Amino acid sequence: MSVIKWSSTESPEIQIGNRRLSSRYFLSPLAGYTQHAFRVALRELGGVGLCTTDLVLASQMLSRSRKAKALLKTSPEDNPLTVQIFSGIAKELVIGARWLEEQGYKAVDINMGCPMAKINGNGGGARIMCAPDAACQMVADVVDAVSIPVTVKMRLGWDRDSITAPLLAREFEKAGVAAITIHGRTRNQGFGGTVDLDGIRQTVEAVQQIPVVGNGDVCTVEDAFHMRNETGCEAVSIGRGAMMDPWIFRKIQQAVQGEEPVSEPTREEQLQFLVRHFTLMVDQHDDYGCLLIRKFAAWYGARLGIPEDLEDRLRRVQSIDEFHDIVGHIQLRHGERASSVPTALIKTPNGPVERW
């Protein structure tokens, strides 16, 4: 495998607020996916500089809801970690950030990038970017409320006619945020189209000192280095690319260290990862882990060499015993897969989504 080399003499480490991170390549927060089990399973593969939780609704966190507690689950192995919170109400974010600091969490990220209708409809996510003055005051209030680093993740803007990211990035830096992550799409794009690297570059150029983290369409080592070369961002955050290839961080680390070619996971490693992720979910959620693994199957199948019919079974798995039976069949038929495209990227129904 030929890899674009990162030729900079910079340190592989990066400073964000009072935190020194060992790598510039991070796991993005993804609603419904980047929970404790997935984060720990990825960290064990190596190369992850920082993980951020699945986005947590501030009001649910403050009411100590069961869902919020599950999303905030962490462990000594799950470090360094940032908690991402969202709300359309500044007071909730302020109280939530203070509570997180009191509980010992080391950083908080404000979500201004989620494109989901139910979140935007309540004034959260990317909707916040539509009112720049209010967004700046909201961020300033959270920064002033805590001593831990506060970061912001946002999109380029609501649509192509309202690109507000560069302006907001400049003002957020003045307010004292430690870093900004910018997904190179508008809210209206969702995950469609292609990432706008020029838009990320304009955001990078809008700040004076704080790191800007690029995000969007990074699925390979080459993609990660290309984003940095084209935008000047100091770090890269990877979401869907990590689900399509959980070894992407290890590969980037090898490339940064000058190893070529980077190593692909063996058959045994692929199966071990699947079992490890499932085991971690069951440890936390008991039998409910069987439902949680379903949506990962559509991302994992192609990378883990799972034949389509066995992937389909995994997307409908009912019990822990059935999961291990499926794994046994995968071991016997590993690599007997017709398509190299993850099922999750094919726009057709792919399982009992009403249970996800």
Side-chain angles (χ1 to χ4, degrees), residues 19-89:
R19 310 173 92 187
R20 190 70 178 173
L21 305 175
S22 62
S23 169
R24 296 169 181 263
Y25 301 92
F26 309 156
L27 175 66
S28 298
L30 285 173
Y33 290 96
T34 51
Q35 298 177 19
H36 179 256
F38 183 60
R39 299 193 305 264
V40 171
L42 277 187
R43 291 182 193 274
E44 291 177 351
L45 300 181
V48 182
L50 174 69
C51 289
T52 301
T53 66
D54 189 340
L55 60 168
V56 186
L57 180 60
S59 61
Q60 290 184 351
M61 182 175 67
L62 297 173
S63 67
R64 314 296 189 266
S65 75
R66 180 182 297 179
K67 179 178 180 181
K69 288 180 180 178
L71 295 176
L72 291 170
K73 163 74 175 177
T74 187
S75 64
E77 298 77 24
D78 186 27
N79 184 62
L81 179 70
T82 293
V83 177
Q84 184 179 83
I85 58 177
F86 75 98
S87 175
I89 303 173

Side-chain angles (χ1 to χ4, degrees), residues 93-353:
L93 292 175
V94 168
I95 297 173
R98 284 176 177 160
W99 184 82
L100 288 169
E101 183 174 29
E102 291 168 359
Q103 298 303 309
Y105 293 94
K106 302 302 183 183
V108 59
D109 185 68
I110 300 172
N111 180 285
M112 291 190 189
C114 183
M116 295 172 63
K118 66 179 181 180
I119 292 175
N120 285 261
N122 291 324
R127 174 64 70 179
I128 299 173
M129 299 181 70
C130 295
D133 290 343
C136 292
Q137 187 61 56
M138 175 184 286
V139 169
D141 289 347
V142 176
V143 171
D144 291 343
V146 296
S147 59
I148 58 177
V150 176
T151 58
V152 176
K153 183 177 181 185
M154 59 183 174
R155 291 196 168 223
L156 295 177
W158 185 258
D159 56 33
R160 296 306 306 179
D161 295 325
S162 56
I163 302 297
T164 52
L167 166 67
L168 290 173
R170 183 166 59 248
E171 295 305 313
F172 291 166
E173 181 177 32
K174 293 177 183 177
V177 301
I180 291 167
T181 299
I182 179 73
H183 184 119
R185 288 183 173 88
T186 65
R187 184 271 173 185
N188 277 6
Q189 282 183 278
F191 290 100
T194 57
V195 68
D196 182 353
L197 297 180
D198 187 59
I200 296 176
R201 180 182 55 77
Q202 290 174 23
T203 307
V204 171
E205 294 172 349
V207 303
Q208 297 297 313
Q209 293 183 318
I210 63 171
V212 172
V213 184
N215 173 236
D217 289 355
V218 176
C219 299
T220 65
V221 176
E222 290 88 348
D223 291 340
F225 292 167
H226 180 66
M227 175 170 282
R228 294 204 58 201
N229 280 317
E230 292 297 313
T231 70
C233 64
E234 292 194 42
V236 172
S237 186
I238 304 171
R240 292 177 299 163
M243 292 194 294
M244 288 188 282
D245 185 0
W247 289 267
I248 188 170
F249 297 103
R250 185 179 78 178
K251 293 176 182 178
I252 292 172
Q253 183 181 55
Q254 290 173 337
V256 168
Q257 294 172 346
E259 299 178 29
E260 189 177 351
V262 297
S263 61
E264 292 291 340
T266 64
R267 166 182 163 175
E268 289 71 24
E269 286 179 312
Q270 293 171 45
L271 292 170
Q272 287 170 4
F273 175 80
L274 177 62
V275 173
R276 177 59 172 159
H277 185 189
F278 178 75
T279 300
L280 288 165
M281 285 198 292
V282 170
D283 287 346
Q284 181 179 354
H285 300 284
D286 297 321
D287 289 345
Y288 186 62
C290 298
L291 271 66
L292 294 177
I293 198 65
R294 293 175 178 180
K295 59 187 172 185
F296 284 95
W299 293 97
Y300 286 170
R303 170 68 278 186
L304 303 187
I306 304 173
E308 281 84 352
D309 62 308
L310 294 179
E311 181 196 298
D312 184 68
R313 283 190 61 192
L314 194 57
R315 285 189 274 117
R316 303 170 188 276
V317 63
Q318 297 283 342
S319 69
I320 295 172
D321 286 343
E322 183 184 7
F323 172 83
H324 289 293
D325 179 68
I326 294 170
V327 170
H329 286 285
I330 295 172
Q331 288 177 318
L332 294 173
R333 298 177 50 206
H334 184 272
E336 295 179 15
R337 185 181 177 92
S339 174
S340 61
V341 178
T343 306
L345 298 181
I346 301 172
K347 304 301 181 182
T348 57
N350 55 46
V353 295

